[in-house]
Amino acid sequence: MMILPEFDLLRPRSVDEAVAAARRTSGAFDYLGGGTDLLCNYKWGINANPTVISLRHIGELNERQGGSLGGGLTLAELEADEDFLHDFPAFRRTLARLASPLIRQTGTLAGNILVDTRCIWLNQSAFARRALGNCLKADGPECRVVKGSTDRCYANYSGDMAPVFMVYGAEIRLAGPDGERTLPLTEFFSLDGRTRNVKAPEEIVVALDLPGDARTLRASYQKFRVREAWDFPELAVAASARMDGDRIEELSLVASAVASIPLWMDEIAAKYVGRTLDDETIDAVAGDMFKASRPVRATLLPPGYRKHMVRVMTTRALREIRGDAVPVPAAAM
Ligand SMILES: Cc1cc2nc3c(=O)[nH]c(=O)nc-3n(C[C@H](O)[C@H](O)[C@H](O)COP(=O)(O)OP(=O)(O)OC[C@H]3O[C@@H](n4cnc5c(N)ncnc54)[C@H](O)[C@@H]3O)c2cc1C
Ligand code: SF4
């Protein structure tokens, strides 16, 4: 049986109160959204802290104004928001295929963006981990997936929402001890499966802001997973384009769940601006995405197969953007 370790639970009523509470712990705390990721890790004995600061009672995190979405909104609230889905339709299938309905009732937007990286070595009970030998991310000297790595963890980024927000051009709003700051979501993630992003520990994700002109983009999210129920992505591709007839005016691409962060493929995208979105272009983009993705053995499926599927998923995403009917797994909608 997996039992939660003991911790102090704080329930501040404002962002300022939460940040002040975090500072008093000298770093030995975690923020809590819905807890669907954090508390599983606590039960597994992965990097638990003695203080947990719940953000569920902070009203300002639960607001939505147009394309500005509070970090505390639950995934189910977004899924039920027809205005949001109308304006940003790629989220409809993304949300429908994220975890399970029960988890979406509790899981929050910010918690999803910040979902911890995953690895077949790490995400199991403390007993199993001790038997195998601990690893760099929790209580061990080196990475077991990339042998010999003592300074970098290669665990997989597995959140479904961030890649879609990235191709819609979203910004992330943070509040911390030094006030508020906003940065493009494409600049938020930083390579290492332990640190994961540039957020200071005390900073809170207040909101994700989608730009007004994102409503005129065509976007697609293609997720590949083992079971068509609740599984994390084994790899995923998000793409968006602004089209002028059949000519690409703007293109954004993300390969996700093939590294410790969602990979923003801006150099590949830039090559194809001005080209016609025909089969030849789609094959070329998919080939470039395939070459640029280098998954390691941190998830269930073999890296070579996941790399191959990046090509397939890129092709599907671009075909969907073009208006083709693309295969969608039965459970998706
Ligand atoms: C069986 C199962 C299947 C799942 N499948 C998927 C899946 O298919 N796709 C997917 O993307 N996820 C999946 N998840 C992971 C998780 O449920 C979701 O990502 C969920 O959205 C996490 O949100 P949460 O609010 O519960 O996060 P929490 O567990 O509360 O927090 C996650 C992290 O975010 C931090 N945090 C939360 N809110 C804030 C904030 N406002 N500011 C700063 N830090 C914050 C926490 O400190 C923690 O580090 C699955 C989980 C389970 C248990
Ligand atoms: S990638 Fe390496 S360090 Fe990271 S969780 Fe897996 S085994 Fe541990």
Side-chain angles (χ1 to χ4, degrees):
M1 185 163 45
M2 295 197 299
I3 298 172
L4 268 179
E6 281 192 22
F7 52 77
D8 290 332
L9 179 66
L10 308 182
R11 287 186 268 190
R13 301 278 156 171
S14 71
V15 167
D16 288 348
E17 223 183 283
V19 171
R23 294 193 82 180
R24 284 194 295 274
T25 68
S26 310
F29 78 99
D30 280 300
Y31 287 128
L32 183 77
T36 60
D37 185 49
L38 187 80
L39 297 183
C40 291
N41 287 341
Y42 270 37
K43 285 184 181 175
W44 274 335
I46 299 172
N47 301 330
N49 272 310
T51 302
V52 171
I53 303 173
S54 170
L55 305 174
R56 296 314 295 268
H57 307 281
I58 302 179
E60 62 197 281
L61 299 183
N62 297 322
E63 290 165 7
R64 182 196 159 208
Q65 284 170 345
S68 178
L69 306 164
L73 292 169
T74 65
L75 300 171
E77 283 170 329
L78 294 176
E79 203 180 359
D81 187 336
E82 276 303 325
D83 290 342
F84 167 65
L85 298 178
H86 173 268
D87 287 349
F88 307 103
F91 284 112
R92 189 182 292 276
R93 201 187 317 138
T94 306
L95 283 158
R97 303 186 70 209
L98 195 161
S100 68
L102 199 58
I103 291 169
R104 297 198 293 273
Q105 285 295 330
T106 320
T108 62
L109 174 56
N112 188 266
I113 301 293
L114 295 172
V115 69
D116 203 358
T117 52
R118 298 180 63 77
C119 172
I120 40 174
W121 194 278
L122 183 82
N123 290 99
Q124 42 189 324
S125 70
F127 176 76
R129 287 203 313 277
R130 268 197 307 275
L132 290 168
N134 287 323
C135 75
L136 185 63
K137 189 170 173 187
D139 310 318
E142 67 174 299
C143 176
R144 306 288 175 163
V145 164
V146 175
K147 297 258 185 300
S149 173
T150 53
D151 59 356
R152 184 172 150 196
C153 160
Y154 291 79
N156 214 39
Y157 181 80
S158 308
D160 278 314
M161 296 292 275
V164 186
F165 274 102
M166 285 165 78
V167 297
Y168 272 127
E171 294 187 321
I172 186 163
R173 213 171 339 133
L174 306 169
D178 300 325
E180 226 178 74
R181 64 179 176 132
T182 299
L183 63 157
L185 192 57
T186 52
E187 293 172 17
F188 179 66
F189 297 98
S190 72
L191 264 179
D192 188 296
R194 293 167 300 171
T195 49
R196 303 177 280 149
N197 55 58
V198 299
K199 189 181 85 60
E202 294 92 359
E203 280 184 312
I204 289 174
V205 174
V206 176
L208 273 291
D209 297 319
L210 287 154
D213 65 355
R215 290 178 175 81
T216 56
L217 289 169
R218 291 194 211 163
S220 171
Y221 181 62
Q222 299 290 330
K223 170 177 179 174
F224 188 71
R225 56 185 173 170
V226 175
R227 295 169 297 187
E228 281 306 323
W230 95 359
D231 270 352
F232 286 88
E234 282 283 329
L235 73 289
V237 171
S240 78
R242 195 179 310 284
M243 302 297 295
D244 176 11
D246 59 0
R247 200 180 134 271
I248 302 169
E249 223 173 49
E250 248 178 80
L251 182 65
S252 298
L253 298 162
V254 172
S256 197
V258 286
S260 297
I261 60 170
L263 298 174
W264 175 238
M265 300 293 199
D266 53 341
E267 286 181 16
I268 296 177
K271 270 172 67 180
Y272 295 95
V273 170
R275 295 263 293 259
T276 303
L277 188 58
D278 52 19
D279 287 349
E280 194 187 325
T281 301
I282 292 176
D283 282 353
V285 178
D288 283 354
M289 291 281 279
F290 166 82
K291 281 185 222 145
S293 304
R294 295 180 191 87
V296 297
R297 185 81 213 219
T299 69
L300 216 53
L301 298 178
Y305 181 50
R306 288 165 59 220
K307 184 174 166 75
H308 165 73
M309 289 306 288
V310 170
R311 189 196 289 272
V312 175
M313 292 296 148
T314 306
T315 304
R316 287 187 188 173
L318 294 177
R319 284 192 184 154
E320 186 173 39
I321 284 171
R322 189 170 66 176
D324 298 6
V326 298
V328 176
M333 295 295 290

